[in-house]
Amino acid sequence: MNENQKEQSENNPKLNLKSIAKKWQNVWKETHAFKVSEDPSKKKFYCLEMFPYPSGKLHMGHVRNYSLGDSYARFKRMQGYNVLYPMGYDSFGLPAENAAIKHKEDPEEWTASCIAMMREQQEQLGFSYDWDRIVETYKPEYYKWNQWIFLKFYEKGLIYRKKSAVNWCPHCKTVLANEQVIDGRCWRCHTKVEVKHIEQWFLKITAYADELLKDLDQLDWPERVKVMQRNWIGRSEGTLVNFKLENSDKNLQVFTTRPDTLFGVTFLVIAPEHPIVPELIKGTDKEEEVKEFVRRVVIEEKATRTAEDKEKEGIFTGKYAVNPVNGEKVPIYLANFVLLDYGTGIVMAVPTHDQRDFEFAKKYNIPMKLVIKPKDKDLKVEDMKEAYEGEGVLINSGDFNGLDNEEAKEKITKYLEEKGWGKKTVQYKLRDWLISRQRYWGTPIPMIKCPKHGYVPVPYEDLPVLLPKDVQFTGEGNPLKTSENFVKTKCPICGEEAERETDTMDTFFDSSWYFLRYTSPREDKLPFNKEAVKYWMPVDQYIGGIEHAVLHLLYSRFFTKALRDIGLLDFDEPFKRLLTQGMVLKDGEAMSKSKGNVVDPGEIIDKYGPDTARFFVLSAASPEKELEWSTEGVDKVYKFLNKVLETFSGLKKTNEEINYETLNSKEKYILSKTHSLIKEIAEDITNFRTNIALLKLTNLTNEVIKSKDKLSEAVLNEVAEEITLMLAPFTPHMCEEIWHDMGHDTLISLEKWPEQNKNFIDEKLERLHTIKDKVKSDLINTKNLVQKKTGKSFTKAKLIISDKWKYELFDKVKALLNKTRNISEIIKEIMADERLKRKETSQLIQKIVKNPSLLIGGITQKDEETFLKDFEDELEKDTKLKIILELEQDSKEAKAKQALPGKPAIILLE
RNA sequence: GCGGGGGUAGCAAAGCCUGGUCAAAUGCGCAGGACUUAAGAUCCUGUCUCUCAGUGAGUUCCUGGGUUCGAAUCCCAGCCCCCGCACCA
């Protein structure tokens, strides 16, 4: 488009991608086009995007996420599904509170205004949400149900309070869940996390560890997300073994996955912060020394203690334990590499068969004992440079000698169980979910602390416990503590003076069930309406970032299971299918303010309109992969869309029946291609090959536009209509405009996906046209080349489509086909003939056998002729050469030739 | 270490599941042409190597083997890259 045209199209409101967007957004709004309700007569589809934290402005990641979701929802709607496609805001959290501290703003107002801004941008992009179902977690009508669920979980014993070492972020001034600590740092601000020992509220997610693990198998999720969850849950089977403390009747219980090495234990190691340590060393001459060690190691930050390259360090306690199976006396050590919160916090060490124990034993000169011998060689303790962790046969293991070590694991465990010295067990890495937060902007935990009755739940009828307004934001301590009205209350049991819990809930609590709320957002008797949930849930397609692989996605699964066990749900998993979309990059890096490479969606919408932004973001990369932002790419899309709008909006709606027999080959070809695509595109969208779908559509559209003069009105209208329908999920505003212009009075957004007419599909013709392009370029090349070389100019060219050896082949295959249908046999037979031994031979045979009609001419004579005629015209135009097509009339050859047109020979004539 | 995903032309990126229409879509880059006073835009063509007035030949999809009439595609082994988890006993 040149400047003039550009101006024209921008001045002409009809052709302006921006102004039509507004227009159709208003129409959708006024007609409540995307409002849905439960309709048992229709199949439902629940399409969900991870709801945003309302920071006020959309970033490209949001645009990508929602463009994917919206096109999917729109596509499903066109396929006839009753589509639930909602939006909401995860609107509790620190930024609002920080704004309050910094700028003295009211968190509620601040949040509301951020939501308003964000929503406006979402509306500008034309997403087809049912805005009547908006869910905002900071509103009492939502968080009331957080509290309700909290109380239900509490009743069920899924919530408890305990004192433990917790992760404390000094920057956010709150505790964090394990899932929120990444590499020893806060997930939000990346500050190094410290350890604090305080009493906090926990959610018993570990009660569901096994089910959370097992049910992963039934989910249609990206493998890597499932793997991350599996790792996080970290199930391992092993054995608990009791070692007697020497000169005492105390037991030291260890967890091991290698009971087969039990006879090789030469020492025990205890986590330094283990509660047994003080009594163990009390009154011994090692007491001071050990205490000093514990102080040093435990005070060290969590992050560095568990770092990979951290050197193993330990200290002997002076005490011994007794190995139950052989009565051996083994020394007890403390060491920094043993973790209190995994297993029992006490480890049996077998230096010969565990690398860590090996290193530790070397460093502290502890003896070693070999108990497993590899099958193919002998080992000697003195020669060992590292532990032998492989398979083998047991030695030095009493009655178990000679057993295969895998077998020994079971036998030894069984033996321990019989003797009462140990038992089989399962360990998880998953820890209970700490949900207390010492911050203001969250759901108040509905508990009251009575001096007499301890923690007492707030009665259901008193919900919600509202966030007070009269609080001080000082940046120090929990603001809730500053509201006397809030803190001071009466005990629900005795009516005496009591204090409210001032901790609030982790915001991940809010997001763990919001998808249920969407099904019945105004329900006021329960968190959600059971019937509505029954109709809509589970979510059929969930779309969001990978960063929630073990946070939100794990918590929501847990909530679903827990709510099921309370009797509110009757399914096990919330999200059937998950797409984790890739990041949006600029210059190979994630967009960030500090790098200054942020592209603001607002500006893009302003400049190019929403359809361009959506189309680009969907077409530039496959959804799971990273997307590199490209200004030129956006320009190209913009031009393409303008071209489509310009060309298609001049057309009329289809009212003529197409008389297929009378069509020329170009028309048949375009029809065939369009109708093939109807199915292909639907499949591509379903499988999130969105970029491929758009690529195919672009190619087809360009082809149609290019050859529109060769198409009859009926065909052009028909094809344009179908293409517009197929583009509608992606560029809905433009398509509404075109649809309307064509003379339809319906909304294209609510139209049906086009139906494939199989009669229009002609694969051979499509092939023919592919070959045509090659022939054309060959001819032009040859002409240019020859003219250059010879200095002569040519006015005529003769094309000969013939392939002598193929005819021979055809005859032979035909003869053989009477005998057998076995491809291999036919091929072998024919390959025996030297004259026919060619690269393509076997391919041709395959084709013939699969489709014997080729032998009597697959494409009709008429097709061939119309095709060639078209072709002739086109060639002449492009090459300024008169083409003489030589059709050999000998029936057999002609038929073969028609069936399989090869690359023709070119003869130029002066 | 455990687990996941990859390695395709100058680059980016399809194809692989379901082997043959694959010298391999598409985009970028590069080259040539058309249109233009020119630039831009647009359109057309080419872009592994050789050959070339004639349907051509050779060598390719990380490497090496295998299956098959036929392999980018299936199987085995190896090399390399990216990502997640990790002193979890």
Side-chain angles (χ1 to χ4, degrees), chain A residues 660-698:
Chain A
Y660 190 73
E661 293 312 311
T662 63
L663 300 181
N664 64 36
S665 85
K666 187 96 199 175
E667 292 174 317
K668 285 183 178 170
Y669 163 67
I670 294 282
L671 266 182
S672 174
K673 211 148 181 217
T674 307
H675 280 261
S676 307
L677 279 193
I678 287 174
K679 215 170 158 196
E680 276 181 45
I681 302 280
E683 272 168 25
D684 286 340
I685 298 176
T686 307
N687 297 315
F688 278 109
R689 290 191 297 257
T690 321
N691 55 328
I692 307 287
L694 286 175
L695 188 102
K696 288 177 182 167
L697 275 172
T698 312

Side-chain angles (χ1 to χ4, degrees), chain A residues 289-305:
Chain A
E289 200 188 332
V290 173
K291 268 189 180 164
E292 177 50 36
F293 174 81
V294 173
R295 210 172 296 132
R296 190 163 54 78
V297 170
V298 176
I299 284 171
E300 270 185 326
E301 289 168 66
K302 221 179 161 169
T304 58
R305 165 135 170 235

